[in-house]
Amino acid sequence: MTSRDNDASTTQRRTMRPQHNAGAGHVPACLVVLQGQRLGQRIDLGEEALIIGRSPEAGFQILERSISREHCRIWQEPAGYRIKDLDSTNKTFLNDQPIIEAELKDGDHIAVGSCVLKFMDRSSVEARYHEEIYQLATADPLTDLYNRRQFLELLEKELARAANHKRPLVLLIMDLDHFKTINDRFGHPTGDAVLKKVALTVRGLAREEFIIARIGGEEFAVVMPEHALEDAVLFAETLRAGIGELPLALNGGPDHVTVSIGAAAWLKGMMATGDLMRAADEQLYRAKQGGRNRVCSTLTP
């Protein structure tokens, strides 16, 4: 394990990203939650070791008192994946047997407290099937970005990490200006083409660690972990300019589209995901009321 793996402040996102980042035919080995919290969730496994436990730093966190902070570890070796119990209080079970360390095989069941995980090897037909199901459940079918449900789940996890480590985090909510007019005048196929172009632009400008989602008809969101509000506003301005310069001219539709963006930072005193969403929505409303095609945040009067 590298020093980065041991850094408790490092955020390691294990949740599957939408399919546009996956190579054709590539299905990573994964765990699927069969019982317990986040039933049905898929956790992709790669070269970095995965810690399962109660700690917020765990790659897969299970909030149960019976779970040790660092309960078990799964890692990859040339011959395959292995699992090791990390001296947990209530043991790690593999196929109903307590283990200290063992090799993982396709179809194995891992029990950690009341949570049961199924290991699926990359060559498994079931893994490829679950890949398709997972994409349908987490990705917006039009833009291939995260859908609203998956966005909220990932945002909640990032907020927990930001609060625990006292690290900055910013949420951008953006709304295409006068989009209803585009749909009404030029038709929904043209509107869909515009949304796809905007999604590609946002994805192309964003960094890998950003969480990007379509959370409404013409509304998008970007979560920026480890970023101060000042830096996030600069990025939002880059987004606004990039979207405004998009050459559309689709099926006789508009030449350009503009976007209004609201930016809000996670602040001490905020209690839940909804607090941050409301703060970003308030800034978006200001941008709309102020004439559209602009970025508003608590930095701007």
Side-chain angles (χ1 to χ4, degrees):
M1 188 181 296
T2 66
S3 59
R4 181 176 175 84
D5 294 319
N6 286 318
D7 182 1
S9 67
T10 300
T11 296
Q12 297 180 5
R13 187 167 298 108
R14 297 281 177 175
T15 306
M16 173 75 179
R17 287 186 175 273
Q19 197 164 349
H20 61 263
N21 283 338
H26 174 71
V27 179
C30 65
L31 303 174
V32 175
V33 181
L34 297 183
Q35 178 180 310
Q37 300 172 13
R38 300 196 291 274
L39 179 66
Q41 181 173 336
R42 173 192 176 105
I43 307 99
D44 284 341
L45 300 172
E47 296 179 356
E48 294 180 347
L50 171 68
I51 301 295
I52 298 174
R54 198 177 73 252
S55 168
E57 292 84 41
F60 184 69
Q61 184 184 26
I62 305 175
L63 297 175
E64 290 183 16
R65 294 181 63 85
S66 63
I67 305 296
S68 298
R69 288 182 60 81
E70 293 191 349
H71 200 99
C72 63
R73 177 165 64 99
I74 296 174
W75 74 99
Q76 184 180 25
E77 293 188 347
Y81 285 90
R82 297 189 67 81
I83 182 170
K84 181 177 182 179
D85 182 79
L86 299 177
D87 296 322
S88 65
T89 302
N90 293 308
K91 302 185 183 301
T92 300
F93 291 81
L94 183 64
N95 300 323
D96 297 324
Q97 298 298 318
I99 55 104
I100 297 176
E101 182 177 330
E103 178 186 1
L104 284 173
K105 297 180 181 179
D106 184 47
D108 279 349
H109 285 196
I110 302 163
V112 180
S114 66
C115 183
V116 178
L117 303 161
K118 183 174 183 177
F119 173 76
M120 291 193 283
D121 189 76
R122 61 171 57 90
S123 62
S124 167
V125 173
E126 186 177 0
R128 291 194 292 272
Y129 171 76
H130 193 275
E131 170 82 2
E132 297 298 324
I133 298 300
Y134 189 82
Q135 293 299 336
L136 291 172
T138 61
D140 172 58
L142 179 65
T143 63
D144 203 27
L145 301 177
Y146 286 125
N147 60 23
R148 184 181 181 90
R149 177 182 175 184
Q150 182 69 1
F151 160 76
L152 291 173
E153 181 177 314
L154 294 176
L155 175 59
E156 185 174 353
K157 188 171 184 179
E158 290 298 337
L159 288 181
R161 285 176 169 154
N164 184 69
H165 297 297
K166 297 180 174 58
R167 295 298 183 90
L169 179 145
V170 176
L171 171 64
L172 306 180
I173 296 182
M174 48 188 163
D175 189 88
L176 298 186
D177 299 325
H178 303 296
F179 186 74
K180 185 177 185 300
T181 301
I182 295 175
N183 275 338
D184 291 346
R185 183 176 177 185
F186 302 102
H188 287 277
T190 298
D192 287 350
V194 170
L195 291 172
K196 288 179 182 179
K197 276 210 163 191
V198 169
L200 284 171
T201 300
V202 177
R203 188 185 300 152
L205 292 171
R207 293 176 58 174
E208 177 68 19
E209 66 267 23
F210 293 176
I211 298 170
I212 312 167
R214 181 187 177 203
I215 59 174
E218 65 270 23
E219 197 170 46
F220 297 84
V222 181
V223 180
M224 301 175 61
E226 306 286 342
H227 280 69
L229 186 56
E230 294 85 350
D231 295 330
V233 168
L234 291 176
F235 172 71
E237 287 288 359
T238 300
L239 281 181
R240 184 193 63 78
I243 292 170
E245 293 168 1
L246 273 177
L248 300 179
L250 300 168
N251 300 322
D255 292 329
H256 298 280
V257 66
T258 61
V259 65
S260 299
I261 304 177
W266 176 250
L267 300 175
K268 184 178 181 180
M270 289 183 173
M271 301 300 294
T273 304
D275 295 337
L276 183 60
M277 294 281 288
R278 279 188 292 274
D281 269 328
E282 288 173 3
Q283 297 305 318
L284 174 61
Y285 179 78
R286 286 184 59 215
K288 290 287 190 182
Q289 292 298 108
R292 297 181 171 84
N293 191 23
R294 63 189 63 210
V295 176
C296 283
S297 73
T298 52
L299 295 175
T300 54

mmCIF file of all heavy atoms in Angstrom, residues 9 11 158-159 161-171 209-210 223-232 264-268 276:
data_model
loop_
_atom_site.group_PDB
_atom_site.id
_atom_site.type_symbol
_atom_site.label_atom_id
_atom_site.label_comp_id
_atom_site.label_asym_id
_atom_site.label_seq_id
_atom_site.Cartn_x
_atom_site.Cartn_y
_atom_site.Cartn_z
ATOM 1 N N SER A 9 -6.593 11.679 4.871
ATOM 2 C CA SER A 9 -7.299 12.827 4.314
ATOM 3 C C SER A 9 -7.584 12.673 2.835
ATOM 4 O O SER A 9 -8.205 13.531 2.227
ATOM 5 C CB SER A 9 -6.463 14.105 4.526
ATOM 6 O OG SER A 9 -5.276 14.039 3.754
ATOM 7 N N THR A 11 -9.358 11.450 -0.405
ATOM 8 C CA THR A 11 -10.645 10.918 -0.834
ATOM 9 C C THR A 11 -10.416 9.957 -1.980
ATOM 10 O O THR A 11 -9.823 10.308 -2.987
ATOM 11 C CB THR A 11 -11.574 12.055 -1.301
ATOM 12 O OG1 THR A 11 -11.837 12.900 -0.195
ATOM 13 C CG2 THR A 11 -12.874 11.495 -1.836
ATOM 14 N N GLU A 158 -19.497 12.741 -0.014
ATOM 15 C CA GLU A 158 -18.445 13.750 -0.064
ATOM 16 C C GLU A 158 -18.590 14.759 1.062
ATOM 17 O O GLU A 158 -17.600 15.229 1.627
ATOM 18 C CB GLU A 158 -18.463 14.458 -1.418
ATOM 19 C CG GLU A 158 -18.015 13.597 -2.586
ATOM 20 C CD GLU A 158 -16.581 13.117 -2.475
ATOM 21 O OE1 GLU A 158 -15.785 13.754 -1.755
ATOM 22 O OE2 GLU A 158 -16.242 12.105 -3.100
ATOM 23 N N LEU A 159 -19.829 15.123 1.408
ATOM 24 C CA LEU A 159 -20.045 16.063 2.500
ATOM 25 C C LEU A 159 -19.594 15.472 3.836
ATOM 26 O O LEU A 159 -19.041 16.188 4.684
ATOM 27 C CB LEU A 159 -21.520 16.454 2.567
ATOM 28 C CG LEU A 159 -22.025 17.379 1.456
ATOM 29 C CD1 LEU A 159 -23.503 17.694 1.657
ATOM 30 C CD2 LEU A 159 -21.215 18.655 1.395
ATOM 31 N N ARG A 161 -17.188 13.389 4.265
ATOM 32 C CA ARG A 161 -15.723 13.447 4.285
ATOM 33 C C ARG A 161 -15.233 14.875 4.503
ATOM 34 O O ARG A 161 -14.284 15.110 5.248
ATOM 35 C CB ARG A 161 -15.169 12.888 2.976
ATOM 36 C CG ARG A 161 -15.246 11.368 2.913
ATOM 37 C CD ARG A 161 -14.798 10.849 1.583
ATOM 38 N NE ARG A 161 -14.633 9.396 1.638
ATOM 39 C CZ ARG A 161 -14.722 8.592 0.601
ATOM 40 N NH1 ARG A 161 -14.983 9.094 -0.589
ATOM 41 N NH2 ARG A 161 -14.555 7.297 0.740
ATOM 42 N N ALA A 162 -15.875 15.826 3.840
ATOM 43 C CA ALA A 162 -15.476 17.224 3.994
ATOM 44 C C ALA A 162 -15.661 17.682 5.439
ATOM 45 O O ALA A 162 -14.802 18.367 6.006
ATOM 46 C CB ALA A 162 -16.287 18.102 3.046
ATOM 47 N N ALA A 163 -16.782 17.299 6.049
ATOM 48 C CA ALA A 163 -17.047 17.689 7.430
ATOM 49 C C ALA A 163 -16.084 17.010 8.384
ATOM 50 O O ALA A 163 -15.584 17.636 9.335
ATOM 51 C CB ALA A 163 -18.491 17.349 7.792
ATOM 52 N N ASN A 164 -15.788 15.747 8.144
ATOM 53 C CA ASN A 164 -14.924 14.993 9.034
ATOM 54 C C ASN A 164 -13.501 15.529 9.031
ATOM 55 O O ASN A 164 -12.844 15.621 10.072
ATOM 56 C CB ASN A 164 -14.932 13.514 8.636
ATOM 57 C CG ASN A 164 -14.122 12.660 9.604
ATOM 58 O OD1 ASN A 164 -14.510 12.472 10.744
ATOM 59 N ND2 ASN A 164 -12.994 12.153 9.132
ATOM 60 N N HIS A 165 -13.008 15.918 7.836
ATOM 61 C CA HIS A 165 -11.617 16.371 7.716
ATOM 62 C C HIS A 165 -11.484 17.883 7.660
ATOM 63 O O HIS A 165 -10.386 18.400 7.478
ATOM 64 C CB HIS A 165 -10.992 15.766 6.457
ATOM 65 C CG HIS A 165 -10.912 14.270 6.502
ATOM 66 N ND1 HIS A 165 -10.164 13.581 7.432
ATOM 67 C CD2 HIS A 165 -11.499 13.324 5.725
ATOM 68 C CE1 HIS A 165 -10.287 12.286 7.225
ATOM 69 N NE2 HIS A 165 -11.092 12.095 6.208
ATOM 70 N N LYS A 166 -12.661 18.577 7.782
ATOM 71 C CA LYS A 166 -12.657 20.041 7.712
ATOM 72 C C LYS A 166 -11.988 20.513 6.422
ATOM 73 O O LYS A 166 -11.131 21.405 6.425
ATOM 74 C CB LYS A 166 -11.977 20.630 8.953
ATOM 75 C CG LYS A 166 -12.706 20.296 10.246
ATOM 76 C CD LYS A 166 -12.004 20.903 11.447
ATOM 77 C CE LYS A 166 -12.829 20.695 12.724
ATOM 78 N NZ LYS A 166 -13.101 19.286 13.006
ATOM 79 N N ARG A 167 -12.387 19.905 5.319
ATOM 80 C CA ARG A 167 -11.875 20.249 3.989
ATOM 81 C C ARG A 167 -12.949 20.998 3.220
ATOM 82 O O ARG A 167 -14.147 20.765 3.417
ATOM 83 C CB ARG A 167 -11.479 18.983 3.229
ATOM 84 C CG ARG A 167 -10.313 18.219 3.850
ATOM 85 C CD ARG A 167 -9.042 19.068 3.866
ATOM 86 N NE ARG A 167 -7.906 18.343 4.392
ATOM 87 C CZ ARG A 167 -7.072 17.613 3.651
ATOM 88 N NH1 ARG A 167 -7.264 17.518 2.348
ATOM 89 N NH2 ARG A 167 -6.068 16.982 4.213
ATOM 90 N N PRO A 168 -12.549 21.885 2.310
ATOM 91 C CA PRO A 168 -13.548 22.645 1.544
ATOM 92 C C PRO A 168 -14.252 21.787 0.504
ATOM 93 O O PRO A 168 -13.714 20.781 0.037
ATOM 94 C CB PRO A 168 -12.702 23.734 0.865
ATOM 95 C CG PRO A 168 -11.338 23.132 0.741
ATOM 96 C CD PRO A 168 -11.167 22.274 1.967
ATOM 97 N N LEU A 169 -15.450 22.202 0.157
ATOM 98 C CA LEU A 169 -16.233 21.555 -0.890
ATOM 99 C C LEU A 169 -17.225 22.588 -1.421
ATOM 100 O O LEU A 169 -17.810 23.338 -0.647
ATOM 101 C CB LEU A 169 -16.955 20.329 -0.356
ATOM 102 C CG LEU A 169 -17.833 19.553 -1.350
ATOM 103 C CD1 LEU A 169 -17.777 18.052 -1.058
ATOM 104 C CD2 LEU A 169 -19.281 20.032 -1.304
ATOM 105 N N VAL A 170 -17.400 22.618 -2.729
ATOM 106 C CA VAL A 170 -18.308 23.581 -3.355
ATOM 107 C C VAL A 170 -19.269 22.842 -4.275
ATOM 108 O O VAL A 170 -18.887 21.873 -4.959
ATOM 109 C CB VAL A 170 -17.533 24.649 -4.161
ATOM 110 C CG1 VAL A 170 -18.486 25.584 -4.894
ATOM 111 C CG2 VAL A 170 -16.625 25.445 -3.232
ATOM 112 N N LEU A 171 -20.508 23.309 -4.292
ATOM 113 C CA LEU A 171 -21.525 22.796 -5.201
ATOM 114 C C LEU A 171 -21.902 23.885 -6.198
ATOM 115 O O LEU A 171 -22.201 25.014 -5.806
ATOM 116 C CB LEU A 171 -22.765 22.359 -4.423
ATOM 117 C CG LEU A 171 -24.002 21.996 -5.253
ATOM 118 C CD1 LEU A 171 -23.735 20.772 -6.124
ATOM 119 C CD2 LEU A 171 -25.207 21.754 -4.336
ATOM 120 N N GLU A 209 -11.899 14.325 -10.516
ATOM 121 C CA GLU A 209 -12.516 14.097 -9.205
ATOM 122 C C GLU A 209 -13.850 14.813 -9.025
ATOM 123 O O GLU A 209 -14.525 14.602 -8.020
ATOM 124 C CB GLU A 209 -11.551 14.521 -8.083
ATOM 125 C CG GLU A 209 -11.262 16.002 -8.021
ATOM 126 C CD GLU A 209 -10.024 16.395 -8.817
ATOM 127 O OE1 GLU A 209 -9.656 15.651 -9.736
ATOM 128 O OE2 GLU A 209 -9.432 17.443 -8.498
ATOM 129 N N PHE A 210 -14.243 15.643 -9.966
ATOM 130 C CA PHE A 210 -15.527 16.334 -9.850
ATOM 131 C C PHE A 210 -16.674 15.348 -10.104
ATOM 132 O O PHE A 210 -16.546 14.418 -10.903
ATOM 133 C CB PHE A 210 -15.642 17.475 -10.851
ATOM 134 C CG PHE A 210 -14.697 18.619 -10.611
ATOM 135 C CD1 PHE A 210 -14.637 19.679 -11.503
ATOM 136 C CD2 PHE A 210 -13.864 18.653 -9.502
ATOM 137 C CE1 PHE A 210 -13.773 20.738 -11.294
ATOM 138 C CE2 PHE A 210 -12.995 19.707 -9.287
ATOM 139 C CZ PHE A 210 -12.946 20.755 -10.185
ATOM 140 N N VAL A 223 -20.112 18.875 -8.250
ATOM 141 C CA VAL A 223 -19.553 18.871 -6.898
ATOM 142 C C VAL A 223 -18.037 18.949 -7.031
ATOM 143 O O VAL A 223 -17.432 18.173 -7.770
ATOM 144 C CB VAL A 223 -19.946 17.601 -6.120
ATOM 145 C CG1 VAL A 223 -19.347 17.629 -4.713
ATOM 146 C CG2 VAL A 223 -21.459 17.475 -6.043
ATOM 147 N N MET A 224 -17.444 19.899 -6.298
ATOM 148 C CA MET A 224 -16.006 20.137 -6.398
ATOM 149 C C MET A 224 -15.353 19.913 -5.029
ATOM 150 O O MET A 224 -15.214 20.855 -4.242
ATOM 151 C CB MET A 224 -15.753 21.559 -6.896
ATOM 152 C CG MET A 224 -16.364 21.853 -8.258
ATOM 153 S SD MET A 224 -16.197 23.580 -8.775
ATOM 154 C CE MET A 224 -14.417 23.755 -8.832
ATOM 155 N N PRO A 225 -14.945 18.678 -4.717
ATOM 156 C CA PRO A 225 -14.258 18.429 -3.448
ATOM 157 C C PRO A 225 -12.893 19.114 -3.424
ATOM 158 O O PRO A 225 -12.246 19.300 -4.453
ATOM 159 C CB PRO A 225 -14.106 16.898 -3.422
ATOM 160 C CG PRO A 225 -15.051 16.387 -4.459
ATOM 161 C CD PRO A 225 -15.140 17.455 -5.490
ATOM 162 N N GLU A 226 -12.465 19.498 -2.230
ATOM 163 C CA GLU A 226 -11.128 20.071 -2.021
ATOM 164 C C GLU A 226 -10.924 21.389 -2.755
ATOM 165 O O GLU A 226 -9.794 21.746 -3.090
ATOM 166 C CB GLU A 226 -10.041 19.064 -2.451
ATOM 167 C CG GLU A 226 -10.145 17.702 -1.811
ATOM 168 C CD GLU A 226 -9.705 17.712 -0.346
ATOM 169 O OE1 GLU A 226 -9.015 18.652 0.057
ATOM 170 O OE2 GLU A 226 -10.092 16.785 0.378
ATOM 171 N N HIS A 227 -12.001 22.121 -3.025
ATOM 172 C CA HIS A 227 -11.895 23.414 -3.710
ATOM 173 C C HIS A 227 -12.540 24.514 -2.875
ATOM 174 O O HIS A 227 -13.635 24.337 -2.345
ATOM 175 C CB HIS A 227 -12.553 23.368 -5.083
ATOM 176 C CG HIS A 227 -11.702 22.725 -6.131
ATOM 177 N ND1 HIS A 227 -11.407 21.380 -6.122
ATOM 178 C CD2 HIS A 227 -11.058 23.255 -7.214
ATOM 179 C CE1 HIS A 227 -10.624 21.098 -7.159
ATOM 180 N NE2 HIS A 227 -10.397 22.216 -7.827
ATOM 181 N N ALA A 228 -11.834 25.647 -2.781
ATOM 182 C CA ALA A 228 -12.388 26.821 -2.118
ATOM 183 C C ALA A 228 -13.381 27.499 -3.052
ATOM 184 O O ALA A 228 -13.340 27.310 -4.273
ATOM 185 C CB ALA A 228 -11.270 27.787 -1.741
ATOM 186 N N LEU A 229 -14.250 28.328 -2.487
ATOM 187 C CA LEU A 229 -15.284 28.977 -3.281
ATOM 188 C C LEU A 229 -14.689 29.886 -4.351
ATOM 189 O O LEU A 229 -15.202 29.958 -5.469
ATOM 190 C CB LEU A 229 -16.215 29.774 -2.359
ATOM 191 C CG LEU A 229 -17.442 30.416 -3.007
ATOM 192 C CD1 LEU A 229 -18.292 29.390 -3.733
ATOM 193 C CD2 LEU A 229 -18.270 31.152 -1.952
ATOM 194 N N GLU A 230 -13.595 30.567 -4.019
ATOM 195 C CA GLU A 230 -12.969 31.459 -5.004
ATOM 196 C C GLU A 230 -12.552 30.686 -6.255
ATOM 197 O O GLU A 230 -12.781 31.148 -7.385
ATOM 198 C CB GLU A 230 -11.743 32.154 -4.396
ATOM 199 C CG GLU A 230 -12.059 33.127 -3.272
ATOM 200 C CD GLU A 230 -12.172 32.450 -1.915
ATOM 201 O OE1 GLU A 230 -12.194 31.200 -1.866
ATOM 202 O OE2 GLU A 230 -12.250 33.165 -0.900
ATOM 203 N N ASP A 231 -11.918 29.540 -6.073
ATOM 204 C CA ASP A 231 -11.483 28.730 -7.212
ATOM 205 C C ASP A 231 -12.681 28.161 -7.971
ATOM 206 O O ASP A 231 -12.663 28.058 -9.199
ATOM 207 C CB ASP A 231 -10.577 27.590 -6.744
ATOM 208 C CG ASP A 231 -9.279 28.102 -6.144
ATOM 209 O OD1 ASP A 231 -8.815 29.180 -6.570
ATOM 210 O OD2 ASP A 231 -8.735 27.435 -5.250
ATOM 211 N N ALA A 232 -13.722 27.780 -7.226
ATOM 212 C CA ALA A 232 -14.914 27.219 -7.866
ATOM 213 C C ALA A 232 -15.610 28.260 -8.736
ATOM 214 O O ALA A 232 -16.124 27.937 -9.819
ATOM 215 C CB ALA A 232 -15.874 26.691 -6.801
ATOM 216 N N ALA A 264 -22.108 27.556 -4.156
ATOM 217 C CA ALA A 264 -22.179 27.636 -2.696
ATOM 218 C C ALA A 264 -21.174 26.684 -2.078
ATOM 219 O O ALA A 264 -20.972 25.570 -2.571
ATOM 220 C CB ALA A 264 -23.586 27.311 -2.202
ATOM 221 N N ALA A 265 -20.542 27.133 -1.010
ATOM 222 C CA ALA A 265 -19.567 26.313 -0.288
ATOM 223 C C ALA A 265 -20.224 25.638 0.904
ATOM 224 O O ALA A 265 -21.171 26.168 1.500
ATOM 225 C CB ALA A 265 -18.396 27.178 0.167
ATOM 226 N N TRP A 266 -19.715 24.458 1.242
ATOM 227 C CA TRP A 266 -20.136 23.772 2.462
ATOM 228 C C TRP A 266 -19.564 24.527 3.650
ATOM 229 O O TRP A 266 -18.354 24.700 3.779
ATOM 230 C CB TRP A 266 -19.628 22.335 2.434
ATOM 231 C CG TRP A 266 -19.897 21.532 3.674
ATOM 232 C CD1 TRP A 266 -18.986 21.103 4.588
ATOM 233 C CD2 TRP A 266 -21.168 21.034 4.117
ATOM 234 N NE1 TRP A 266 -19.604 20.380 5.575
ATOM 235 C CE2 TRP A 266 -20.939 20.310 5.315
ATOM 236 C CE3 TRP A 266 -22.470 21.131 3.620
ATOM 237 C CZ2 TRP A 266 -21.956 19.706 6.013
ATOM 238 C CZ3 TRP A 266 -23.491 20.518 4.326
ATOM 239 C CH2 TRP A 266 -23.236 19.811 5.503
ATOM 240 N N LEU A 267 -20.441 25.006 4.520
ATOM 241 C CA LEU A 267 -20.026 25.862 5.622
ATOM 242 C C LEU A 267 -20.342 25.226 6.965
ATOM 243 O O LEU A 267 -21.262 24.411 7.081
ATOM 244 C CB LEU A 267 -20.736 27.219 5.533
ATOM 245 C CG LEU A 267 -20.500 28.041 4.263
ATOM 246 C CD1 LEU A 267 -21.370 29.278 4.277
ATOM 247 C CD2 LEU A 267 -19.029 28.401 4.118
ATOM 248 N N LYS A 268 -19.588 25.618 7.962
ATOM 249 C CA LYS A 268 -19.859 25.176 9.326
ATOM 250 C C LYS A 268 -21.259 25.624 9.719
ATOM 251 O O LYS A 268 -21.642 26.772 9.496
ATOM 252 C CB LYS A 268 -18.831 25.777 10.276
ATOM 253 C CG LYS A 268 -18.971 25.296 11.712
ATOM 254 C CD LYS A 268 -17.890 25.897 12.592
ATOM 255 C CE LYS A 268 -18.021 25.398 14.029
ATOM 256 N NZ LYS A 268 -16.970 25.991 14.897
ATOM 257 N N LEU A 276 -26.914 22.662 1.655
ATOM 258 C CA LEU A 276 -26.003 23.077 0.578
ATOM 259 C C LEU A 276 -26.757 23.261 -0.732
ATOM 260 O O LEU A 276 -26.497 24.213 -1.480
ATOM 261 C CB LEU A 276 -24.882 22.053 0.413
ATOM 262 C CG LEU A 276 -23.818 22.388 -0.637
ATOM 263 C CD1 LEU A 276 -23.119 23.701 -0.314
ATOM 264 C CD2 LEU A 276 -22.801 21.256 -0.737
#
